[in-house]
Structures are given as structure tokens and as C-alpha cells.
Amino acid sequence: MQPTSIRASARSPASLGDYANLRRGGAAPPRIGALLNLEAGDLTRLERAFRGQVARGVGEAQPRFAHHERHVTAVLAQGGFPALTETRVGRHGVHVGLPLTWPKGRP
């Protein structure tokens, strides 16, 4: 018995890349299934492969509002985003750590 692959097969109407791009853009799996005309088995397999990529750190899973201009504008109007502290080590090294530093005027 051969091991099962989690990659999109050639018979699939959509590739894992197509699916992953839509997921990263904020589309829900049922919506993607309708857009790409996927059968339930293909949809399940592609979602499992996508989650495996995210768990391994391949690509970035972004929240639905990650590049949403209204969201960014609203956060900036409220003082901006918090940031992690950084400590420079040598010429090219950076250690990122806690605590969060808040924009001026925030807790």
C-alpha cells in the first residue's frame, strides 16, 4: 500500500495553490468549493493540505482584514498598531521579544 499524498492531484479541477490563495484572501471553504466547482472529497483534501502548509509555516495565514484599507485606517486613527520590542545583536542579528510597545497615548 502506497502512502497517501496531500498534494492536489492532476485530476483535481483546482490546484492547492488556487485553494490556498483564496483561503489566504479570506474565503471560507464552502465558498471556495462553489467558486472552484470542487467535490466534497477534493474540498476536504485541499483544506487538509492547506492547514498542513500553515502548520509548517509555508506561506502566511492572514486574517480576513490583513490588507483591508478601512481597517488599517481605523487602527491608525486610534493610535496605531502595537509592536514587539527588538534588541539588535551584532551587525545583522535581531532578537524579537516581549513586551509589546504601544503607540504613544496607549496603555
Side-chain angles (χ1 to χ4, degrees):
M1 181 174 188
Q2 294 181 351
T4 3
S5 173
I6 59 170
R7 296 178 187 239
S9 66
R11 68 174 178 74
S12 175
S15 71
L16 177 56
D18 295 334
Y19 184 86
N21 288 336
L22 289 168
R23 285 288 278 131
R24 288 186 186 108
R31 175 80 175 129
I32 296 171
L35 287 170
L36 299 178
N37 196 24
L38 297 173
E39 294 178 8
D42 287 332
L43 184 62
T44 301
R45 183 178 44 76
L46 289 170
E47 178 64 18
R48 186 179 313 121
F50 171 73
R51 287 178 184 247
Q53 279 188 337
V54 171
R56 289 187 310 277
V58 178
E60 290 184 31
Q62 297 178 343
R64 193 174 294 209
F65 56 79
H67 296 289
H68 194 281
E69 291 181 23
R70 288 186 301 173
H71 174 258
V72 173
T73 302
V75 171
L76 291 176
Q78 295 173 13
F81 294 93
L84 292 170
T85 56
E86 292 182 352
T87 305
R88 297 284 174 182
V89 179
R91 289 180 62 176
H92 304 291
V94 176
H95 288 168
V96 178
L98 294 174
L100 287 174
T101 56
W102 292 89
K104 293 179 182 177
R106 296 290 303 241

